[in-house]
Amino acid sequence: MNRYALSTIRILDFTWAWAGPYCTKLLVDMGAEVIKIETNKRPDIARWLPPFPEDKPGLNRSGRFNKRHRGKLSITVDVTTEAGCELVKRIIRISDVIAENYSRRVMKKFGLEYEAVREIKPDIIYISLSAFGTTGLYKDYVAYGPNQAAISGLANLTGYRDGPPINFGTALADPTAGLNGAIAVLAALYHRSKTGRGQHIDLSQTEMFTCLVGQPLMDYVMNGRVLSRDGNRDQIMAPHNLYRCRGEDKWVSIAIASDEEWHRFCNALGNPSWANDEKFSDQLSRWRNQEELDRLVEEWTLNHTPNEVMEILQRVGVAAMPAFNGEEIYHNPQLRQRGFLVEVEHPEVGKRTMPGVSMKLSETPGGIRGPAPLLGEHNHYVFGQLLGMSPKEIAELEGHGVIY
């Protein structure tokens, strides 16, 4: 059995930050050889983002970088030089996919936009994961995850009634775009296997994120109504909230979708007197009286830990889950039993635990193929073995700042 489905695919990776690197990380986990291009003049910004082991920063020590780029190869080549660009074009000729997530003008400035690249390799698959796509009024605009949450409409739905919009605690648009990008690359590879033709994948991160905002958009289209923020409340379910539990800053999420689930919930609580109140007799009544209902539910959850609430309610088929912090995620027995958390040995930071592969394919499961690369670690492999350059040629280009 070949555990890596993409073991014959080579990807030239110009991506940085998060969206693009997450896309190629998913593909490297499935066996693709991913060659990441950086320079010492402009290393990936994620190399300088915390957390760092023992809080000691370093070019190769970032936890974020090491998670997003595990198993990849790193070369340093200055594509702003003519010689550097020619080197990259030689790698393109032996590659299957190019990935980049800059604004439209960047790759064009290097002379490496799709139209130029397909002259070099006609069947190349070229994915652009830009903020707004390669066409339209905003095609040259730049944005990060929080900006995309705002313009997509998601931030405007997040927050409490009468409060301001609230961005997520992480740049959720980035990994979501990366996941969609990986799916698009697989579709393009399949199409090429059938037709022999490559293509350009123009993925707008903002459009992808806007797809998650279907309900408020359609409500406006059909009813002329603008949905407002409403905290943790749902438009149908009640109870539907995060409730305080025993312990400091401990919370549990409970969501009940039907009268049947409500009756199971009440039985699990020992059928308290308020459970029979007419105000909570059906789903609509519970939804209309959520404030009082939330107070009563929390009076019960405060007597239990989040795990106790989860176990009591899950036994009767009611959705309840603790709101985990980092320590609790690390010790989560479910993740441990499925082998999701994996230890990886890194040459500078030692053995560290990181999330593994979340898709369990029975025949080609993939896996973490190694740590993230040190900056320029694979120059001699790529330029020497793949391109056939001699050590003298490589040294000369290093001396001229082309391989740098």
Side-chain angles (χ1 to χ4, degrees), residues 337-398:
Q337 287 178 16
R338 282 177 58 83
F340 177 66
L341 299 176
V342 181
E343 284 192 332
V344 179
E345 185 79 36
H346 186 277
E348 282 200 20
V349 303
K351 192 174 288 187
R352 301 287 169 173
T353 300
M354 65 172 59
V357 178
S358 56
M359 299 86 72
K360 304 290 186 185
L361 281 70
S362 63
E363 296 299 314
T364 53
I368 299 179
R369 297 165 57 207
L374 308 180
L375 183 62
E377 179 181 352
H378 300 95
N379 281 345
H380 284 271
Y381 165 73
V382 173
F383 299 122
Q385 287 185 237
L386 295 186
L387 298 188
M389 296 171 62
S390 68
K392 181 180 178 182
E393 288 177 291
I394 294 172
E396 286 178 353
L397 290 173
E398 288 174 340

Side-chain angles (χ1 to χ4, degrees), residues 207-252:
E207 288 173 13
M208 174 280 311
F209 219 28
T210 304
C211 288
L212 304 181
V213 195
Q215 182 180 349
L217 177 60
M218 295 310 297
D219 203 8
Y220 176 75
V221 169
M222 293 187 290
N223 302 311
R225 180 169 52 202
V226 176
L227 290 181
S228 61
R229 293 177 288 280
D230 205 10
N232 294 320
R233 300 281 169 80
D234 184 73
Q235 290 189 311
I236 299 173
M237 290 189 276
H240 185 282
N241 213 331
L242 283 156
Y243 301 93
R244 288 180 299 165
C245 293
R246 190 172 74 237
E248 184 178 354
D249 196 28
K250 299 299 181 185
W251 301 80
V252 69

